[in-house]
Amino acid sequence: GAVVSQHPSWVICKSGTSVKIECRSLDFQATTMFWYRQFPKQSLMLMATSNEGSKATYEQGVEKDKFLINHASLTLSTLTVTSAHPEDSSFYICSAKRQGVGMNTEAFFGQGTRLTVV
Amino acid sequence: RKEVEQDPGPFNVPEGATVAFNCTYSNSASQSFFWYRQDCRKEPKLLMSVYSSGNEDGRFTAQLNRASQYISLLIRDSKLSDSATYLCVVNCYGNNRLAFGKGNQVVVIP
């Protein structure tokens, strides 16, 4: 089946540094990928929609200059958390659907990245 | 009003019992509905899509009620391995954006 791979699975960084998270679709092309954030006991909250070859679309309240998204190819999207602060500590998950499929198809999720900012 | 609402629980269920829960959605234009399962500190995984006529997959039965804008999930003969959080996911017409509920946490007790 389709697989979405996310790396790293966990990272600890110091306040003020930047962290890059990669999301790859391994056996299908994805013109669109999605980045979510999940705090403990909360639902997944969509942060942004990553579009291959164009700018990402950010949800209201998500700072585009802080969460940089690059979708340079049909199989790779990256999320960079810049100048990280402890409140950015969370579980970040990406997802993708196969290109050109309908609405009822499954969205595949990466394994998630647990970010801890100290 | 939130796009998707679920009672987070937890739902403590004796092994072998049946448990059911609902999820309500606010956008009447919603077109696709899913139940995902999420284990602690893991990514969500598709449990089943929800079709208009209702559908069953083994011990799991999903129903959709468009008039009242809710979907339901029923788990029969609960197993210890069913302990997880079940996320209600709704897809609006015309885009690939998914809206997630908080999830129903199920704890199956021996």
Side-chain angles (χ1 to χ4, degrees):
Chain A
V3 176
V4 173
S5 176
Q6 190 173 336
H7 177 82
S9 55
W10 61 270
V11 58
I12 301 173
C13 71
K14 290 184 177 180
S15 287
T17 61
S18 295
V19 174
K20 181 187 281 189
I21 304 169
E22 291 187 350
C23 180
R24 293 181 185 271
S25 56
L26 296 186
D27 60 356
F28 67 98
Q29 294 182 330
T31 52
T32 306
M33 292 186 178
F34 302 89
W35 287 97
Y36 297 87
R37 180 167 52 183
Q38 186 178 34
F39 292 105
K41 297 185 184 291
Q42 298 296 315
S43 60
L44 275 74
M45 296 301 298
L46 179 65
M47 298 175 66
T49 301
S50 172
N51 304 298
E52 187 269 336
S54 64
K55 291 182 179 179
T57 306
Y58 289 82
E59 296 296 302
Q60 193 173 12
V62 179
E63 298 176 57
K64 63 180 181 181
D65 294 328
K66 180 169 180 62
F67 298 99
L68 300 179
I69 290 173
N70 184 275
H71 195 150
S73 76
L74 286 171
T75 58
L76 173 65
S77 174
T78 61
L79 168 68
T80 301
V81 182
T82 63
S83 187
H85 290 284
E87 55 265 32
D88 298 325
S89 300
S90 188
F91 191 50
Y92 292 85
I93 311 177
C94 68
S95 80
K97 281 189 177 184
R98 288 182 189 273
Q99 183 180 0
V101 294
M103 301 290 290
N104 254 9
T105 53
E106 177 181 359
F108 295 95
F109 288 84
Q111 300 94 321
T113 298
R114 190 158 300 281
L115 170 64
T116 303
V117 184
V118 298
Chain B
R1 184 183 171 189
K2 291 184 179 177
E3 286 187 271
V4 181
E5 298 212 49
Q6 291 182 260
D7 176 0
F11 294 78
N12 296 314
V13 185
E15 191 176 5
T18 296
V19 62
F21 32 80
N22 292 341
C23 153
T24 57
Y25 60 95
S26 61
N27 189 339
S28 59
S30 300
Q31 290 290 308
S32 305
F33 308 89
F34 310 89
W35 283 104
Y36 276 74
R37 170 188 170 134
Q38 186 175 25
D39 292 288
C40 188
R41 295 175 173 262
K42 298 284 188 181
E43 77 276 20
K45 293 185 178 176
L46 181 66
L47 178 67
M48 57 198 303
S49 300
V50 186
Y51 301 117
S52 297
S53 54
N55 47 302
E56 189 174 303
D57 183 0
R59 297 180 294 107
F60 298 86
T61 301
Q63 296 281 350
L64 167 63
N65 186 316
R66 286 191 183 273
S68 300
Q69 293 183 203
Y70 73 85
I71 67 171
S72 63
L73 180 67
L74 182 144
I75 307 175
R76 286 185 300 277
D77 187 23
S78 298
K79 311 290 185 191
L80 296 177
S81 56
D82 294 334
S83 297
T85 297
Y86 293 85
L87 302 173
C88 173
V89 183
V90 175
N91 197 161
C92 291
Y93 179 77
N95 63 67
N96 275 323
R97 186 178 176 279
L98 299 176
F100 288 79
K102 272 191 180 182
N104 300 113
Q105 184 187 4
V106 172
V107 180
V108 181
I109 304 165

